[in-house]
């Protein structure tokens, strides 16, 4: 009996020991409760949006057209040596107070019409035509032979007579409003000695000039074209009987008009010269005295004076001299001809003492002449183009 009790106690102790060594059992998962779906309410009717009143669109206005600038022209001339200016319609004639009445003074108008450069007494001066401010000394240079503004209207080319020059030697120079010192482009030796006539091309890259004549009775010696950049002067082959008295560049500088005076009597001719190939073409026949050539702004026509018993003004084709038309039937004179930049008008001087002298306006389309300003004139200096505010 006691042995049985002993065995039961032993088994109980063993069972408790094994139970203690076993892992604690995990609790059984809770049963998943599926929620009951709530009844869905019927959809609410969509309320159409209230129409918003559309604003009336303001029509787009056409842009205000930019007004076309009004261009005016004024003619510069000398009357008894006094520099003068007058509107191309004869309005507002007045004198320019430049401090000189030198009839041999050189004048050059800048392309923008604002500046007048002029030379006398060993000094180049500038005068602001737009403001009328007093003239200013530009540079001191003795024996200046020619003036030419560059297209920028800021720089001036000038040619100094080779044997002259106190502050600088003879040659081709330029000077700008923005420069400190003048620039020497070509010296006198490279420019073939003494000059009788010297004319810059419009862009200042070339120049046409005549050397001093070798004998009496001539205006020119030999005719040359000078490339200022290359510092090279080349002779132009013109007929021996041609004594150049007028050298006039075309507006773009691609050609040169040369008026030649004959040795004896009448028969002066006008030639066209290609400055690159140095070829020449005769434009007028030479049966009359043709001189004072002036290029139209587009370079297609040349106005000139033609004289036999009386002198009149003609216009011809610049390429071959054809289509000659007489336009200045009442103008005789000997002075320079100037076109307006639009090509519609010519300004001319009539300087015979027995006829109404003065500056005349000529229509290039219909001819005829209208007196703008009367008076004894020394010469026509040029034309100023400006914008009217």
């Amino acid at each position: 009996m006691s042995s049985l009790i002993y065995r039961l106690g032993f088994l109980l102790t063993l069972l408790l020991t094994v139970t203690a060594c076993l892992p604690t059992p995990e609790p059984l998962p809770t049963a998943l409760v599926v929620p009951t779906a709530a009844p869905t309410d019927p959809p609410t009717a969509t309320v159409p949006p209230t129409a918003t009143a559309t604003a009336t669109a303001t029509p787009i206005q056409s842009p205000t057209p930019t007004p076309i600038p009004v261009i005016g022209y004024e003619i510069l001339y000398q009357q008894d040596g006094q520099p003068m200016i007058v509107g191309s319609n004869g309005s507002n004639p007045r004198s320019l107070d430049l401090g000189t009445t030198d009839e041999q003074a050189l004048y050059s108008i800048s392309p923008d019409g604002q500046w007048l450069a002029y030379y006398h007494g060993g000094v180049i001066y500038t005068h602001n035509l737009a403001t009328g401010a007093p003239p200013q000394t530009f540079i001191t240079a003795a024996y200046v032979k020619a003036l030419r503004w560059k297209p920028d209207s800021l720089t001036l080319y000038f040619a100094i007579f080779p044997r002259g020059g106190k502050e600088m030697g003879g040659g081709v120079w330029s000077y700008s409003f923005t420069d400190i010192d003048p620039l020497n482009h070509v010296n006198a030796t490279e420019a073939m000695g003494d000059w009788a006539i010297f004319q810059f091309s419009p862009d200042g890259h070339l120049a046409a000039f005549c050397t001093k004549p070798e004998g009496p009775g001539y205006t020119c010696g030999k005719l040359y074209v000078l490339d200022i950049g290359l510092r090279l002067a080349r002779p132009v082959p013109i007929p021996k009987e041609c004594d150049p008295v007028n050298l006039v560049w075309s507006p773009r500088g691609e050609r040169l008009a040369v008026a030649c005076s004959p040795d004896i009597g009448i028969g002066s001719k006008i030639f066209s010269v290609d400055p690159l190939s140095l070829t020449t073409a005769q434009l007028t026949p030479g049966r009359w005295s043709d001189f004072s050539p002036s290029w139209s702004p587009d370079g297609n026509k040349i106005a000139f004076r033609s004289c036999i018993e009386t002198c009149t003004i003609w216009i011809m084709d610049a390429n071959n001299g054809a289509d000659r038309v007489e336009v200045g039937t009442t103008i005789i004179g000997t002075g320079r001809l100037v076109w307006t930049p639009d090509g519609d008008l010519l300004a001319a001087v009539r300087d015979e003492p027995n006829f109404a002298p003065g500056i005349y306006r000529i229509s290039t389309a219909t001819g005829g002449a209208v007196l703008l300003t009367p008076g004894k004139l020394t010469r026509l200096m040029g034309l100023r183009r400006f914008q009217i505010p």
Side-chain angles (χ1 to χ4, degrees):
M1 185 69 172
S2 58
S3 118
L4 181 59
I5 295 172
Y6 175 78
R7 289 180 180 176
L8 291 173
F10 175 79
L11 292 173
L12 180 59
T13 301
L14 180 61
L15 180 61
L16 293 173
T17 301
V18 172
T19 304
C21 292
L22 292 175
T24 305
E26 295 181 1
L28 294 175
T30 304
L32 180 64
V33 178
V34 179
T36 304
T40 303
D41 294 330
T44 305
T46 303
V47 179
T50 304
T52 303
T54 304
T56 304
T58 303
I60 300 175
Q61 296 182 353
S62 301
T64 303
T66 303
I68 299 175
V70 179
I71 302 299
Y73 305 106
E74 289 182 319
I75 302 166
L76 277 75
Y77 62 100
Q78 283 181 319
Q79 185 166 317
D80 295 328
Q82 174 65 41
M84 305 285 291
I85 193 167
V86 65
S88 61
N89 59 356
S91 63
N92 193 25
R94 61 197 186 278
S95 62
L96 295 176
D97 186 13
L98 302 182
T100 176
T101 56
D102 182 4
E103 295 186 3
Q104 302 304 314
L106 299 175
Y107 295 92
S108 181
I109 304 169
S110 63
D112 64 6
Q114 182 172 346
W115 295 96
L116 174 68
Y118 62 99
Y119 168 78
H120 80 101
V123 179
I124 298 176
Y125 297 89
T126 55
H127 172 64
N128 193 318
L129 292 167
T131 64
Q136 299 292 320
T137 298
F138 191 64
I139 194 169
T140 301
Y143 305 106
V144 171
K145 195 69 177 178
L147 299 173
R148 165 66 71 181
W149 288 95
K150 289 185 68 175
D152 62 6
S153 297
L154 296 175
T155 303
L156 188 71
Y157 276 109
F158 51 98
I160 301 178
F161 191 71
R163 286 200 300 264
K166 298 176 182 179
E167 292 75 16
M168 55 183 67
V172 177
W173 297 74
S174 70
Y175 190 60
S176 171
F177 287 127
T178 58
D179 288 342
I180 299 174
D181 297 310
L183 180 62
N184 185 5
H185 296 276
V186 181
N187 63 40
T189 303
E190 293 165 326
M192 307 302 296
D194 294 351
W195 309 324
I197 301 174
F198 196 104
Q199 293 292 339
F200 286 107
S201 66
D203 59 10
H205 295 162
L206 301 173
F209 65 90
C210 287
T211 56
K212 283 285 187 180
E214 298 176 356
Y218 287 85
T219 301
C220 256
K222 294 182 180 179
L223 176 63
Y224 288 85
V225 169
L226 170 67
D227 188 307
I228 295 171
L230 297 178
R231 306 172 75 97
L232 176 64
R234 298 186 296 162
V236 178
I238 55 176
K240 279 188 176 181
E241 66 274 10
C242 174
D243 179 24
V245 292
N246 302 124
L247 306 178
V248 186
W249 287 95
S250 63
R252 293 182 294 275
E254 77 277 16
R255 283 182 293 170
L256 178 71
V258 181
C260 295
S261 176
D263 293 341
I264 302 174
I266 65 171
S268 57
K269 312 172 187 66
I270 296 176
F271 290 83
S272 174
V273 176
D274 185 319
L276 299 181
S277 65
L278 298 180
T279 55
T280 61
Q282 184 173 330
L283 299 180
T284 59
R287 296 190 296 271
W288 306 276
S289 293
D290 302 322
F291 56 99
S292 295
S294 179
W295 294 85
S296 64
D298 59 9
N300 294 328
K301 298 180 182 298
I302 293 178
F304 63 100
R305 293 183 187 270
S306 184
C307 305
I308 183 165
E309 294 179 355
T310 59
C311 299
T312 57
I313 295 173
W314 294 69
I315 295 177
M316 66 178 171
D317 188 288
N319 296 310
N320 52 23
D323 302 326
R324 285 188 284 271
V325 177
E326 184 180 6
V327 293
T329 54
T330 63
I331 299 296
I332 302 176
T334 58
R336 179 184 176 191
L337 305 175
V338 177
W339 293 75
T340 56
D342 55 16
D344 292 340
L345 298 172
L346 274 170
V349 171
R350 188 175 191 179
D351 51 13
E352 307 91 335
N354 297 327
F355 299 90
I359 293 179
Y360 284 78
R361 183 183 72 230
I362 300 170
S363 169
T364 59
T366 61
V370 177
L371 179 64
L372 297 182
T373 177
K376 180 180 179 298
L377 300 169
T378 307
R379 60 176 170 150
L380 201 58
M381 294 155 46
L383 187 139
R384 174 192 175 224
R385 177 181 186 270
F386 64 96
Q387 182 173 318
I388 300 174

